[in-house]
Amino acid sequence: AAFGLLDEAGEEGFSVRKVGAAMGIDPMTVLHHFRSKEELLRQIADRALCSSELPQPSGNWQDDLKNVAAAIRRLSLRHPRLFHLHFRFHATGAADHVSSETVYRALLDAGLATKQAAGLGLAFYAFVLGFALAEIEGLLRPLEGAEEAEMAALDAQRFPATRQLLPAFRALESGTAFDDAVGAFIAGIALQAHDAGARQLSLSKT
């Protein structure tokens, strides 16, 4: 009941009182079961993640990161009104830990040290979640209307790069931009892992 209410009305239209009313029970019963509204929201977020097909480690770390990123994007498009909850918690619950295990294992398999894997694992989620949120909020839509006119009116001498990219912004395809961005992130991880491996080999020879 809580999931359906939040998915339909968003957090601004959500309350424990409304959940209780939808179920025909006292709102305090809801809080007694979940301990707090925040914990209820956390479990709603994890339930949303359960609705996506979560990729398991495949043995190819690059494919695993791409697959997790794609699953998160699908989740944002399917449940845009509650997607922001995934920024609020380090982990939403069991489903989130399954996803994170795939990501962290991929980063370790790439050859990163544990400190790097921890930091870049969180950076991966920050990047993918942020991109997905930007897409559902409209940042990745093709440029048109007043925004297009404003950019087209920029002084070509002061803003040559922006003017050069204007046709690409008009034809922007968010799925392609997402794939390109994930690919760039993965290429950066591969480079860091290679550099770390080269340093370790150099030290071992010294």
Side-chain angles (χ1 to χ4, degrees):
F3 182 93
L5 177 62
L6 188 62
D7 199 31
E8 180 180 348
E11 194 167 0
E12 65 279 2
F14 178 88
S15 70
V16 174
R17 179 184 59 80
K18 290 181 179 179
V19 174
M23 299 186 67
I25 61 175
D26 190 314
M28 293 307 296
T29 303
V30 179
L31 288 178
H32 175 75
H33 183 75
F34 289 100
R35 299 189 299 278
S36 68
K37 179 182 176 181
E38 198 70 1
E39 179 60 22
L40 173 58
L41 292 173
R42 179 174 178 265
Q43 293 198 31
I44 289 173
D46 205 55
R47 177 169 176 162
L49 197 56
C50 284
S51 71
S52 293
E53 186 176 346
L54 299 175
Q56 300 292 322
S58 68
N60 184 311
W61 70 267
Q62 295 172 321
D63 285 347
D64 289 346
L65 291 180
K66 290 177 184 177
N67 291 337
V68 171
I72 292 173
R73 180 171 180 253
R74 288 194 300 270
L75 174 66
S76 72
L77 297 174
R78 188 181 300 120
H79 300 293
R81 290 184 177 87
L82 57 80
F83 182 72
H84 67 283
L85 293 177
H86 292 274
F87 285 91
R88 192 172 299 178
F89 309 100
H90 188 278
T92 60
D96 205 352
H97 287 304
V98 171
S99 171
S100 297
E101 174 65 18
T102 300
V103 170
Y104 297 145
R105 191 179 300 185
L107 295 174
L108 292 173
D109 287 348
L112 295 178
T114 54
K115 184 176 181 180
Q116 282 182 305
L120 284 172
L122 294 175
F124 172 81
Y125 276 106
F127 153 64
V128 175
L129 289 169
F131 192 108
L133 183 63
E135 182 177 11
I136 60 179
E137 289 293 326
L139 179 61
L140 277 296
R141 68 182 185 278
L143 193 66
E144 59 183 7
E147 291 177 321
E148 178 186 6
E150 178 180 322
M151 191 175 289
L154 292 173
D155 186 338
Q157 296 299 315
R158 292 182 61 199
F159 304 97
T162 303
R163 291 289 299 272
Q164 183 179 345
L165 293 179
L166 186 56
F169 286 132
R170 291 192 185 107
L172 190 66
E173 205 286 309
S174 59
T176 300
F178 182 80
D179 291 341
D180 288 346
V182 172
F185 191 97
I186 290 173
I189 291 173
L191 182 61
Q192 286 208 29
H194 177 271
D195 290 346
R199 286 194 299 270
Q200 188 64 33
L201 180 61
S202 177
L203 289 173
S204 66
K205 290 181 177 179
T206 302

